[in-house]
DNA sequence: CGATGAATTGAACCAACTCAAACATAGTGG
DNA sequence: CCACTATGTTTGAGTTGGTTCAATTCATCG
């Protein structure tokens, strides 16, 4: 099931919606020009696999829009999501040519891909990119550690609340809205994908979603659109302390 | 409970046992000289806290010997280990002056500390250090993702086997021994710390250790010294596939 | 040798899982 | 327009792996 490569009109970096958050955030105009020359867009539809674990991967990329997940699968089929890539997040590892995880588009996704070899060269030479990549990787490590607390110690209800708050916050920040009071957004994940994120079964996810709805912590319009009447109320359900493990 | 600063004789970088694995691995002699000028050793005894979450942290460090853990604690006392630092691992984040996690010495630990401000400056200027730090951070992110699979999807028995195999492998690589056939090592963690690592209770850890012993997967001499008669047998218990998610 | 902290073991319990069935929604095509 | 899938979601009932609480054993050390 190879992903055919479509010719997609490329945006210029200057107009890019994630210009100031992505790996290129600190680049100057001349550096952007260099990036323009090694970049190409790829589009994936919801459900499509971007790369399979073990596949050769000759690019790295920024997520421009949409949501993609990194997932590990055990022989007997148990699956655990280990990364959730939202717009501006970085995909791939320079210096590695084989994907260690399945990468799947959760929604329609647009990637800004950079050919790996020249990108690697760029990193070696260009501090603005490599420094930014280090910063983003450290942020991801922090997020992974929060996630570990969630997986290891939180209850099902707390896990759901935590996931919703994470998505709500990222979504709000993308739209430059505050994440307090009433907040609403589209869930980019199926119940099954939520279960894979949280280390639960999809039945448990569904039950806890119903419970949160019953308790007026969330409202559902359709299966995917979620309204949080009071963000603080949701935060109370996450198990995190008030200052919220908010890392600076 | 401040950690008094002892005057500790410093080794020269050239003689350092982790010289070629730590953040300084790629440095040249003149760069090492620079590092020498901003480094100092600190020693911690098993059980001592290196820094508390929320504390100001004016250094970053390499673990020279011993084992330290990063732990998150929830308000009600639930604890999850989110990092295990073995010799050559890096502690702290440049550009962050407040520790996000408790750092505790699991065994006696020797740290090679670098004053944060000058280290930060060094990173900004010196590619050999910042590139190495990026590489180490990416490795840590991979490890965190393996850990997430463990926390989210593995059974108690698989969790224990996985932890033992991780420690056995790191220990072997440190001593330049192969990790196959019969392997033996000292557990640097109490049952409680193992539980915090694995997202289990200490009772479950103890029960599963007994079960693995009963099934001849491990042998115990005292509570801490462990012999694995056949490393492959242990690997079979981890739930990982044969090629072992071994990332290149 | 008692005492202290760490580890083991037992028994009852429960949160999340498994298996099974019903329901919802959006397409598809006759 | 409705029947007919296909896919995703909810709900129910019974089971279970890991927890909780409570003793007991082990090891070390002053």
């Amino acid at each position: 099931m190879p992903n055919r490569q479509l010719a997609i009109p490329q945006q210029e970096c200057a107009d890019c919606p994630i210009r100031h958050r992505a790996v290129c955030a600190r680049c100057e105009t001349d550096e952007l020009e260099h990036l323009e020359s090694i970049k190409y867009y790829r589009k994936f539809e919801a459900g499509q696999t971007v790369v399979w674990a073990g596949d050769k991967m000759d690019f790295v990329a920024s997520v421009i829009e949409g949501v993609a997940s990194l997932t590990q699968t055990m022989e007997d089929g148990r699956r655990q999501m280990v990364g959730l890539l939202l717009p501006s997040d970085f995909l791939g590892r320079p210096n590695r040519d084989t994907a260690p995880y399945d990468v799947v588009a959760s929604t329609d996704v647009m990637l800004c891909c950079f050919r790996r070899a020249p990108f690697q060269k760029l990193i070696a030479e260009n501090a603005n990119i490599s420094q930014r990549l280090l910063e983003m990787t450290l942020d991801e490590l922090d997020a992974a550690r929060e996630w570990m607390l969630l997986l290891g110690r939180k209850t099902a209800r707390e896990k759901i609340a935590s996931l919703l708050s994470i998505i709500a916050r990222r979504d709000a920040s993308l739209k430059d809205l505050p994440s307090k009071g009433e907040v609403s957004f589209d869930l980019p994940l199926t119940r099954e994908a939520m279960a894979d994120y949280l280390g639960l079964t999809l039945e448990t996810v569904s039950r806890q979603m119903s419970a949160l709805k019953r308790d007026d912590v969330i409202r559902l319009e359709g299966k995917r659109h979620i309204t949080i009447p009071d963000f603080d109320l949701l935060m109370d359900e996450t198990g995190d302390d008030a200052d919220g493990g908010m890392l600076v």
Side-chain angles (χ1 to χ4, degrees), chain A:
Chain A
M1 181 181 329
N3 297 307
R4 72 232 124 103
Q5 183 66 51
L6 302 174
I8 296 171
Q10 285 184 208
Q11 225 164 0
E12 288 195 22
C13 290
D15 304 331
C16 180
I18 55 160
R19 162 81 179 83
H20 299 288
R21 300 165 184 263
V23 71
C24 49
R26 302 216 198 118
C27 289
E28 309 287 348
T29 14
D30 54 327
E31 294 162 333
L32 288 182
E33 273 167 35
H34 191 166
L35 280 174
E36 299 261 20
S37 75
I38 64 167
K39 92 182 190 195
Y40 56 96
Y41 279 18
R42 287 179 76 183
K43 197 184 157 90
F44 296 87
E45 280 166 33
Q48 262 193 304
T49 295
V50 177
V51 282
W52 297 93
D55 273 7
K56 191 130 194 179
M57 196 170 158
D58 56 0
F59 65 92
V60 297
S62 289
V63 176
I64 295 194
E65 58 176 64
V67 177
S69 63
L70 310 187
T71 311
Q72 271 188 305
T73 307
M74 296 170 70
E75 293 164 340
D76 60 5
R78 280 175 283 174
R79 283 157 33 97
Q80 176 64 50
M81 198 186 293
V82 296
L84 186 64
L85 302 180
L86 304 182
S88 81
D89 283 338
F90 187 77
L91 166 65
R93 175 171 174 168
N95 276 309
R96 172 184 292 157
D97 69 348
T98 306
Y101 317 109
D102 291 329
V103 182
V104 178
S106 292
T107 64
D108 291 355
V109 166
M110 181 71 81
L111 296 183
C112 177
C113 302
F114 306 104
R115 286 182 290 125
R116 206 164 54 80
F119 187 84
Q120 221 166 299
K121 189 148 159 287
L122 205 53
I123 281 192
E125 293 162 359
N126 185 307
N128 279 336
I129 296 182
S130 64
Q131 306 273 343
R132 176 68 187 140
L133 185 56
L134 174 58
E135 193 172 67
M136 291 175 73
T137 306
L138 286 164
D139 285 342
E140 232 179 315
L141 188 56
D142 283 334
R145 284 169 169 167
E146 288 293 322
W147 199 338
M148 284 168 51
L149 175 66
L150 177 152
L151 289 171
R153 295 304 189 191
K154 289 189 176 180
T155 64
R157 185 181 174 98
E158 288 169 340
K159 285 179 173 183
I160 301 278
S162 300
L163 173 57
L164 295 178
S165 85
I166 288 169
I167 295 176
R169 213 171 316 147
R170 276 291 300 256
D171 187 70
S173 113
L174 203 67
K175 301 188 208 144
D176 279 311
L177 294 172
S179 40
K180 55 177 167 160
E182 180 167 314
V183 179
S184 83
F185 59 95
D186 280 315
L187 249 190
L189 303 174
T190 63
R191 298 290 183 264
E192 189 179 18
M194 292 174 70
D196 286 344
Y197 185 113
L198 300 170
L200 296 171
T201 58
L202 68 91
E203 292 95 330
T204 300
V205 170
S206 183
R207 273 184 249 276
Q208 295 297 336
M209 289 289 285
S210 300
L212 288 175
K213 189 169 93 181
R214 188 177 337 111
D215 299 344
D216 296 316
V217 180
I218 63 176
R219 262 180 280 141
L220 294 173
E221 284 114 42
K223 305 298 175 189
R224 289 301 192 86
H225 193 80
I226 297 205
T227 300
I228 300 164
D230 181 354
F231 197 77
D232 287 340
L233 225 68
L234 180 68
M235 287 306 296
D236 290 343
E237 299 286 350
T238 62
D240 297 325
D241 32 353
D243 62 330
M246 284 297 81
L247 306 165
V248 181

